[in-house]
Amino acid sequence: MTDLDCDEVVEQVTAYLDGALDADARHRFVEHLAVCEGCDRYVEQFRRTIGALGELPPDELPDGTRSALRSALLDAFRRRPG
Ligand SMILES: [Zn+2]
């Protein structure tokens, strides 16, 4: 079993929050959050942002909203200090 690195966590965060990861991937994701405070905080922040949109059923999100949001958050994450 290979540990995730921070980039992989960032890549998988939407799948994780969508429940789209399989059990093994999900386990590794959670394991990383347990040992990486930065990613833990990032996922929390992501979850809250998604939650604000989450009032809408996914079908009612305009095309591209999810990917646009994801890009914006990934960008913010990569530019974070430290
Ligand atoms: Zn990390």
Side-chain angles (χ1 to χ4, degrees), residues 58-69:
D59 286 351
E60 291 185 19
L61 288 176
D63 282 352
T65 297
R66 221 175 244 280
S67 56
L69 175 68

Side-chain angles (χ1 to χ4, degrees), residues 4-71:
L4 295 185
D5 64 29
C6 294
D7 280 345
E8 288 170 313
V9 166
V10 169
E11 293 303 325
Q12 292 178 19
V13 63
T14 51
Y16 171 73
L17 294 177
D18 283 346
L21 295 180
D22 65 31
D24 185 53
R26 192 177 178 83
H27 181 75
R28 284 187 291 158
F29 191 97
V30 172
E31 288 279 289
H32 183 91
L33 296 190
V35 298
C36 183
E37 192 185 342
C39 286
D40 189 45
R41 251 195 318 234
Y42 168 70
V43 171
E44 229 3 85
Q45 187 184 354
F46 207 107
R47 194 203 301 275
R48 256 183 266 125
T49 308
I50 299 274
L53 290 175
E55 308 298 315
L56 288 173
D59 286 351
E60 291 185 19
L61 288 176
D63 282 352
T65 297
R66 221 175 244 280
S67 56
L69 175 68
R70 182 173 178 277
S71 312

